[in-house]
Amino acid sequence: MRVDESPETDADIDPATAFSVIASETRLDILEALWRADDRPVRFSELFDAVELADSGQFNYHLQELTGQFVSQGADGYDLRYAGAQVIRAVRAGTFTRTPDIDPFPVTGACTRCGGGLLAEYADEQFAIDCEDCGKAHGEYPFPPGGLVDRTPAEVATAFAERVRHLHCLAADGVCPDCAGRMGTEISRDGDCCLDVSVRAEFVCERCRHELCSPVGLTLLDNSRVAAFYDDHGVDLSSRPYWTLPWCVDDQYTSVEATDPWRLAVQIPLAEAKLTAYLDGNLQPVEFERQDCGH
């Protein structure tokens, strides 16, 4: 089934109206109480007890304002709708409320260009990993402020690596990490890029316009053939931060074999073996070629 692309239906709510509904501390408290509930749906009396508001009439007014778009009501009580859960997730992630300031810190691994140490820096909700010596960029990607809470620098680096892995592989599969809309893929070889690569994939969501830029190799991190290649050498690929894998951050491992249609090759060396992945213009693997030691 394909959903009609028309901007509004009879059930749609104007965005300004939707945001005005949640512009209330009491209503956010109600959403938070529902989110924290061990068992849902939650009956009116239990929900009222969980929110610090003495007047039940006022409480009911705010609850009814939320019901429909953010909260569902049934015979057994009230529950969060997807939109309500997204509001609380955004609050807890710090998307609207936190502006953290943390000092740069070193991360595991060495520069893939010069072997120097790597430093992670956080600003404007973006994490960037760069070489301390030559300045080579090893990726700059969004990371919600909530991801910094109650984590050591090493734990933050691990969380960041996992987030990058999953978001970019999801985008390569055509699914927007933000809204689940259709993600388009465009191969680019023009202009400067903060990733310090010339051949790259630019993902744009057709619905919400969310954008991601990715080295070609990065989209192979969840590929079973690549994981098996590492397993054969006793290496767990899932435990390796992407910035320690040269084929994920360096141009020299990616080549363009054709442009009409696109055919890209990513060389993945390991010990004395090499796996070459061939991808189409949507970054979907179409062929693998493996060369082992002595062959």
Side-chain angles (χ1 to χ4, degrees), residues 39-182:
D39 296 307
R40 294 198 296 261
V42 181
R43 294 193 177 279
F44 180 93
S45 58
E46 297 171 350
L47 191 56
F48 177 63
D49 290 341
V51 176
E52 293 185 3
L53 191 66
D55 189 330
S56 63
Q58 279 293 312
F59 174 81
N60 183 60
Y61 166 75
H62 288 297
L63 178 58
Q64 293 309 311
E65 287 293 297
L66 291 169
T67 300
Q69 185 68 12
F70 299 99
V71 172
S72 63
Q73 180 181 6
D76 296 326
Y78 297 86
D79 201 351
L80 277 177
R81 295 194 65 190
Y82 180 78
Q86 286 292 86
V87 170
I88 296 304
R89 291 189 187 105
V91 171
R92 297 187 69 83
T95 304
F96 307 124
T97 57
R98 292 193 178 112
T99 54
D101 181 19
I102 64 172
D103 294 329
F105 60 88
V107 294
T108 300
C111 175
T112 57
R113 175 187 290 162
C114 74
L118 298 176
L119 202 64
E121 296 187 71
Y122 188 77
D124 298 326
E125 298 185 5
Q126 296 275 325
F127 244 117
I129 295 180
D130 301 313
C131 175
E132 292 185 87
D133 296 335
C134 73
K136 174 180 167 50
H138 287 63
E140 180 178 343
Y141 305 108
F143 191 72
L148 306 174
V149 178
D150 297 329
R151 282 188 171 128
T152 65
E155 290 171 337
V156 169
T158 298
F160 172 64
E162 289 297 323
R163 177 178 170 82
V164 169
R165 174 191 300 266
H166 293 300
L167 292 191
H168 287 257
C169 290
L170 190 64
D173 287 337
V175 180
C176 175
D178 266 14
C179 77
R182 184 179 289 106

Side-chain angles (χ1 to χ4, degrees), residues 106-256:
V107 294
T108 300
C111 175
T112 57
R113 175 187 290 162
C114 74
L118 298 176
L119 202 64
E121 296 187 71
Y122 188 77
D124 298 326
E125 298 185 5
Q126 296 275 325
F127 244 117
I129 295 180
D130 301 313
C131 175
E132 292 185 87
D133 296 335
C134 73
K136 174 180 167 50
H138 287 63
E140 180 178 343
Y141 305 108
F143 191 72
L148 306 174
V149 178
D150 297 329
R151 282 188 171 128
T152 65
E155 290 171 337
V156 169
T158 298
F160 172 64
E162 289 297 323
R163 177 178 170 82
V164 169
R165 174 191 300 266
H166 293 300
L167 292 191
H168 287 257
C169 290
L170 190 64
D173 287 337
V175 180
C176 175
D178 266 14
C179 77
R182 184 179 289 106
M183 205 80 168
T185 303
E186 183 176 336
I187 307 300
S188 177
R189 294 190 291 177
D190 301 322
D192 296 329
C193 176
C194 64
L195 305 178
D196 198 23
V197 294
S198 56
V199 181
R200 58 193 181 275
E202 296 179 352
F203 304 109
V204 180
C205 176
E206 296 176 8
R207 176 165 293 278
C208 74
R209 309 308 297 170
H210 178 66
E211 297 182 11
L212 283 172
C213 186
S214 174
V216 174
L218 196 60
T219 64
L220 291 167
L221 282 172
D222 69 345
N223 183 272
S224 59
R225 292 284 296 273
V226 177
F229 176 61
Y230 272 79
D231 284 340
D232 290 345
H233 290 82
V235 179
D236 179 9
L237 181 60
S238 66
S239 67
R240 293 285 302 271
Y242 78 86
W243 59 81
T244 66
L245 303 166
W247 49 275
C248 284
V249 294
D250 283 347
D251 252 351
Q252 69 186 78
Y253 297 91
T254 299
S255 58
V256 178

